[in-house]
Amino acid sequence: MSSAVVVPEHPWLLPGSLAPASRVARRTPRDWLVDGLLFLLSLAWAVLAFGDSLGPEPEMALNAGPSWLNEVDLVLGVWASTALWLRRRWPVGLAVLTLPLILFSVSASVALVVILFTVLVHRPLPVAAALTAVHLLSSPVFLAVRPDPTMPYWASVAFTVLVIGVIVAWALFVRARRQLVVSLRERADRAEAEQQLRVAQARQLERTRIAREMHDVLAHRISLLSLHAGALEFRPDAPAEEVAKAAGVIRASAHAALQDLREVIGVLRAEPGGAETATPERPQPTLGDVPGLVAESRAAGVRVGVVDAVADAAAVPPAVGRSAYRIVQEGLTNARKHAPGALVSVQLAGRPGDGLAVEIRNPWPVGEPPVPAIPGTGTGLVGVAERVSLAGGRLEHGRDAAGDFRLAAWLPWPAS
């Protein structure tokens, strides 16, 4: 399942901190427009403030102090306006570098406000709070150096503090909104990643189920093939009828194994969403197919005794019956592999509400293992244990007190 990247309808309208393009913060067209407008606004304010100082009756506070301070203030204002192009990359450094200007400069006022706003939006709150405190504490000093001729001193201080408070509130609002957008985006990305993980896990579980079914089926088929082929190998002088019968069983088992293999490979190769056109799987075995499974083993020369004490086999749920079938199949396969010629006992018992008990028992092999031994993956009992666990049952296997190998399972059978 490929991840779908959601692209905004107009990404150029987003600030660089919210643009999903790259990890490195870069200016978007919106950033270039905003930075250009702020630069022009700050530069215009510096020129306007200097022009007002040259008038006969200045309306701003540039008439205080020596005359050369106005020219110096203009240069500093132009420099601060130009430095605004660096505010996105080094806001804190730029704020520290321009701190002396907050004590006397009028031309750089707009640039200083923009720098304060940038630090409040993009940098940690302790740093932003420290810079805001410096601005607030410097207001009385600035108004003492550059008094406002139209307002009393303390009224000017209160007005300046109010303006700084409005700027701080606006910046915190923008900061909270951007953090909310980033949080929602991260939540959406996390939800998409979790969905992909769930799909991958479901796909892996399905492949594991198919592999388990493949092991159960092919191990049974191939063990029958090996048994009949071994009989033909060790009895080359057998009557023609027995040879023909064994060859027929080998052919039928080989065809069945190939059919099972073809179906599993078809399922693994199927494209997602192609279930409508895929070949339907064969019906899964149930408890009613156990006699046929025993008959196949008997036809291969295995001595199998069956004790069926199930109250109502037709009422066994399909999933429980399929698990019981696979347990019996694995037990018979293991007996053919590890205890050839031994008498295998299969016992089935249960009723609704009490559960279904399955037991396969065979004598422990004596002497050296058969040569050549039937190869195996060693995961058959592991798959059976997983199957029983998923069904909510219990499994026991190993050598018992009598010296026999015992494979016993209990599966829940709810009362109808």
Side-chain angles (χ1 to χ4, degrees):
M1 178 179 176
S2 60
S3 59
V5 179
V6 179
V7 180
E9 185 177 357
H10 302 292
W12 59 273
L13 292 177
L14 294 175
S17 58
L18 298 181
S22 63
R23 300 177 182 176
V24 181
R26 298 177 180 177
R27 283 191 178 93
T28 62
R30 179 258 186 199
D31 291 339
W32 283 105
L33 178 62
V34 171
D35 291 349
L37 291 177
L38 291 177
F39 166 73
L40 294 177
L41 177 63
S42 179
L43 188 63
W45 170 260
V47 174
L48 179 63
F50 180 74
D52 179 75
S53 68
L54 299 179
E57 297 181 357
E59 298 181 0
M60 302 181 187
L62 291 175
N63 55 345
S67 59
W68 56 265
L69 186 59
N70 295 337
E71 287 79 6
V72 173
D73 194 14
L74 174 63
V75 175
L76 293 176
V78 173
W79 171 79
S81 301
T82 306
L84 288 180
W85 291 103
L86 305 177
R87 69 184 180 92
R88 295 184 183 274
R89 180 169 296 183
W90 299 294
V92 177
L94 188 60
V96 173
L97 189 62
T98 56
L99 275 182
L101 302 183
I102 65 178
L103 298 175
F104 64 90
S105 178
V106 175
S107 298
S109 298
V110 173
L112 294 175
V113 167
V114 173
I115 294 171
L116 174 62
F117 187 89
T118 304
V119 174
L120 286 168
V121 171
H122 295 285
R123 289 300 178 262
L125 286 179
V127 177
L131 182 61
T132 303
V134 172
H135 274 266
L136 291 174
L137 295 176
S138 65
S139 298
V141 178
F142 172 81
L143 292 174
V145 177
R146 297 284 197 173
D148 190 340
T150 62
M151 296 179 63
Y153 174 75
W154 290 111
S156 300
V157 173
F159 179 77
T160 304
V161 171
L162 177 62
V163 171
I164 294 177
V166 172
I167 294 172
V168 171
W170 182 21
L172 292 180
F173 169 76
V174 174
R175 178 191 184 97
R177 182 178 178 276
R178 292 191 179 183
Q179 289 179 346
L180 177 61
V181 172
V182 172
S183 175
L184 293 176
R185 177 182 294 170
E186 291 178 351
R187 185 180 303 176
D189 293 341
R190 186 165 55 251
E192 183 180 359
E194 291 176 354
Q195 174 64 18
Q196 293 180 3
L197 180 60
R198 284 193 294 268
V199 171
Q201 290 176 343
R203 184 178 300 169
Q204 182 62 33
L205 289 175
E206 181 64 15
R207 289 178 178 269
T208 303
R209 183 191 68 82
I210 293 173
R212 185 170 58 242
E213 293 288 336
M214 199 67 217
H215 172 273
D216 295 340
V217 173
L218 285 186
H220 172 71
R221 304 286 187 191
I222 294 175
S223 64
L224 289 176
L225 285 172
S226 178
L227 197 62
H228 284 282
L232 292 178
E233 180 182 2
F234 288 104
R235 292 192 60 191
D237 57 344
E241 294 181 359
E242 292 186 9
V243 173
K245 183 179 179 180
V249 174
I250 292 174
R251 179 179 57 82
S253 298
H255 287 178
L258 289 175
Q259 178 64 23
D260 293 329
L261 182 61
R262 186 180 300 111
E263 289 180 0
V264 173
I265 292 177
V267 172
L268 294 176
R269 289 180 175 176
E271 294 292 334
E276 297 180 358
T277 58
T279 303
E281 298 183 32
R282 291 185 299 175
Q284 292 294 317
T286 62
L287 189 64
D289 296 313
V290 171
L293 182 65
V294 173
E296 288 183 351
S297 296
R298 286 173 175 171
V302 181
R303 295 182 298 163
V304 184
V306 179
V307 177
D308 189 351
V310 179
D312 187 4
V316 177
V320 176
R322 180 165 58 253
S323 297
Y325 178 93
R326 295 304 186 194
I327 294 170
V328 175
Q329 186 180 58
E330 180 63 24
L332 294 176
T333 302
N334 286 340
R336 286 194 298 269
K337 287 182 179 179
H338 306 296
L343 175 62
V344 183
S345 172
V346 178
Q347 297 183 7
L348 303 172
R351 66 182 65 248
D354 293 341
L356 179 63
V358 182
E359 182 181 281
I360 302 93
R361 182 191 299 269
N362 61 268
W364 193 266
V366 179
E368 296 294 331
V371 180
I374 302 176
T377 62
T379 59
L381 292 178
V382 176
V384 170
E386 182 181 359
R387 183 188 297 276
V388 173
S389 176
L390 292 175
R394 301 186 299 270
L395 179 70
E396 298 177 3
H397 60 85
R399 195 170 185 177
D400 60 6
D404 297 338
F405 182 83
R406 176 175 174 268
L407 174 63
W410 177 87
L411 300 170
W413 182 357
S416 55

